[in-house]
Amino acid sequence: MNSQNGNNSKTISINMILIIIVIILILILIFVSVSNIGKKEPTNANNTNNEITNGILNEVEEPHNSTNETNTIANITTDPNANNPEVAKIGEETYNSLQEAINAVEDIKPTPTATVSPTPTPTPVEPTKITLLKNISGTFIIGVNKHIIIDMGEYSISGVGDKEVFTVNGNLELQNGKIIGKYNKQNLCAVKVNKSGTLICDKMNLDLTAGEFGWIISNDGALSIKSSRLDYPKGTAISNNGVIEEIGGESYISSNDNYIALYNLGTINKMSGGEIASNSYAVFNSGKIEEISGNIKINSLNSYGIYNSGTIGSIIDSVEVNSSSVDTATIYNNSGKIDKISGNVKINAEHNRAIYNLGTITEISGNVIINTNGEYAVSTIYNSNPGELTILGGTISHKNGGISVFREGGEVNITGGNISSKYNC
């Protein structure tokens, strides 16, 4: 009996050990299963490449949806702004295109019709400033009811194809930047100001050195140029059919070849500083120029400094007009009218006549110096029918001893001035 009980005890002990081992294995399996819950399957290499490619495409097409991963990938590009979709800002609000920022500017509300007389002066509307954040290209439209300043912050805007960079129907001021045009089609402009538009260029550089024939600025509205450079070797820098309020400061306006730097068919209120230069016509006026004054140089290499068939009110106070042409005059008054040339004005002809008058010059006076270095047979001032000329003062000379004032026809009245020689016939 005792022997059988001993065998049973051994059997029970072995069974207990097996049960314990099975329980431990079950617990291990449960722990491993719980640890793997929520884990994804490994991503293969092809899936990873597809995700990166899609991320880069999204960065180009929809920058606002880009992720940190795509931004990291985009950093390998050579474009320093590729990772920055923000183009412009108004205050602290940023925009992904300049036109988007322009459109966001609130329209000026029309002034209500007055019920009293006289009509009250409307309160001036403060412009909204848009700040450019990087170099861009495109074509942009300023709506008729917009009043905007674009501070370009030394950045540039390049033209696209044969489109104007700006079409101005409202009020626009461009500051501190550069506009680049590369037009191949004729008769286009970098900036078009329509009749309802107003444009101010302040410390701007408008460069169309790679462009074909056209205009940098074509103005049918109102225009002001302040300390800006407009350079167009193969076309006209400014074509004005509207009103130019002022060209001043340290402005430089130029064209080369056979083109005109400043072509005026409208009205220019004041030209008061800088330089206007051309291989051909520097200033061509068939409209009205109220005043040319104040530290301005007008230079032509091969043609007229000023060609006038319109009206010029006064050329006064620190004005210098030069021409190196052998065939034309420095100032050619062709059936036009010049009311006054007076006060520290220098008119110099390197090879030909300083003034050729077929119109009316009402007064030459003050400290005017008019000179030619041309041949003996070339006169300094040449007056022909139906020209009318009155000289009250100034110094008129011929460096090579020729005739200072020659009247072939018309009327010449001389009552003063220092004239080295004079001849009337």
Side-chain angles (χ1 to χ4, degrees):
M1 291 291 290
N2 292 335
S3 176
Q4 186 176 1
N5 288 337
N7 290 334
N8 289 339
S9 296
K10 290 178 180 179
T11 300
I12 292 171
S13 297
I14 293 170
N15 289 338
M16 287 295 295
I17 291 170
L18 291 174
I19 290 170
I20 291 170
I21 291 171
V22 169
I23 291 172
I24 291 171
L25 291 173
I26 291 171
L27 291 174
I28 291 171
L29 289 173
I30 291 171
F31 177 79
V32 171
S33 298
V34 171
S35 298
N36 287 330
I37 290 176
K39 287 189 176 181
K40 293 183 179 179
E41 293 181 2
T43 303
N44 60 43
N46 290 334
N47 288 339
T48 301
N49 291 334
N50 289 337
E51 288 178 6
I52 292 174
T53 302
N54 291 335
I56 294 175
L57 291 175
N58 288 334
E59 172 69 12
V60 173
E61 295 176 359
E62 296 183 11
H64 55 280
N65 289 331
S66 57
T67 63
N68 290 333
E69 180 181 4
T70 57
N71 283 336
T72 301
I73 298 299
N75 280 336
I76 66 174
T77 182
T78 57
D79 181 359
N81 294 307
N83 213 19
N84 175 23
E86 297 167 349
V87 166
K89 68 177 183 178
I90 302 174
E92 298 302 319
E93 186 73 22
T94 58
Y95 300 87
N96 291 347
S97 78
L98 179 57
Q99 189 65 56
E100 183 183 354
I102 291 168
N103 295 342
V105 174
E106 184 177 356
D107 287 356
I108 299 171
K109 296 179 181 178
T111 303
T113 303
T115 57
V116 297
S117 183
T119 304
T121 303
T123 303
V125 177
E126 290 295 324
T128 299
K129 178 180 279 191
I130 297 173
T131 302
L132 197 65
L133 300 178
K134 62 180 181 179
N135 297 332
I136 61 171
S137 61
T139 179
F140 309 96
I141 297 174
I142 307 298
V144 68
N145 292 319
K146 303 292 186 182
H147 193 182
I148 295 171
I149 294 173
I150 299 178
D151 186 346
M152 295 177 61
E154 307 302 328
Y155 291 114
S156 66
I157 301 177
S158 298
V160 176
D162 293 329
K163 301 291 186 180
E164 289 80 12
V165 177
F166 283 100
T167 299
V168 183
N169 299 305
N171 298 331
L172 173 64
E173 180 172 343
L174 296 172
Q175 301 176 347
N176 309 314
K178 186 174 185 178
I179 291 178
I180 304 170
K182 299 180 179 180
Y183 306 119
N184 297 316
K185 187 176 178 180
Q186 291 188 351
N187 300 329
L188 285 172
C189 51
V191 181
K192 179 72 173 72
V193 185
N194 290 322
K195 288 184 178 180
S196 61
T198 298
L199 173 66
I200 298 173
C201 292
D202 187 2
K203 299 181 181 65
M204 287 292 298
N205 182 354
L206 286 79
D207 179 11
L208 271 74
T209 53
E212 297 299 327
F213 175 72
W215 305 275
I216 294 180
I217 297 176
S218 177
N219 178 52
D220 290 323
L223 174 65
S224 294
I225 306 294
K226 302 177 180 180
S227 297
S228 294
R229 182 182 181 95
L230 288 75
D231 190 11
Y232 198 175
K234 296 182 179 179
T236 296
I238 298 176
S239 177
N240 179 52
N241 288 284
V243 176
I244 296 179
E245 300 289 351
E246 183 175 3
I247 298 173
E250 298 299 321
S251 294
Y252 180 79
I253 299 169
S254 75
S255 67
N256 292 319
D257 295 341
N258 295 315
Y259 302 111
I260 301 168
L262 175 58
Y263 181 47
N264 181 51
L265 298 175
T267 299
I268 300 176
N269 290 334
K270 192 172 185 180
M271 296 164 58
S272 61
E275 182 175 353
I276 300 174
S278 177
N279 274 350
S280 185
Y281 298 79
V283 176
F284 185 105
N285 178 53
S286 287
K288 183 177 183 180
I289 301 175
E290 295 283 0
E291 181 181 313
I292 302 174
S293 65
N295 297 312
I296 186 169
K297 292 182 179 181
I298 300 173
N299 298 318
S300 173
L301 291 179
N302 297 313
S303 189
Y304 305 103
I306 297 175
Y307 177 97
N308 180 52
S309 59
T311 300
I312 298 176
S314 59
I315 302 174
I316 56 174
D317 298 333
S318 302
V319 176
E320 187 174 326
V321 189
N322 302 293
S323 175
S324 300
S325 172
V326 297
D327 298 317
T328 63
T330 302
I331 295 179
Y332 183 26
N333 190 38
N334 186 15
S335 302
K337 182 180 180 182
I338 301 174
D339 289 333
K340 179 186 287 189
I341 302 174
S342 179
N344 298 316
V345 174
K346 296 180 181 180
I347 302 170
N348 181 67
E350 189 62 34
H351 299 292
N352 212 304
R353 298 176 178 93
I355 296 177
Y356 193 127
N357 183 47
L358 297 173
T360 301
I361 300 178
T362 305
E363 177 185 332
I364 295 177
S365 63
N367 297 321
V368 173
I369 298 174
I370 303 173
N371 175 68
T372 183
N373 294 324
E375 295 179 359
Y376 180 84
V378 174
S379 58
T380 302
I381 297 178
Y382 183 92
N383 195 84
S384 185
N385 192 57
E388 296 181 11
L389 171 65
T390 299
I391 300 174
L392 305 177
T395 300
I396 303 170
S397 62
H398 193 303
K399 288 292 178 68
N400 289 323
I403 300 169
S404 291
V405 180
F406 182 85
R407 182 181 71 85
E408 183 185 51
E411 183 178 345
V412 176
N413 300 304
I414 302 173
T415 61
N418 182 13
I419 302 173
S420 59
S421 66
K422 58 185 178 182
Y423 180 73
N424 295 315
C425 63

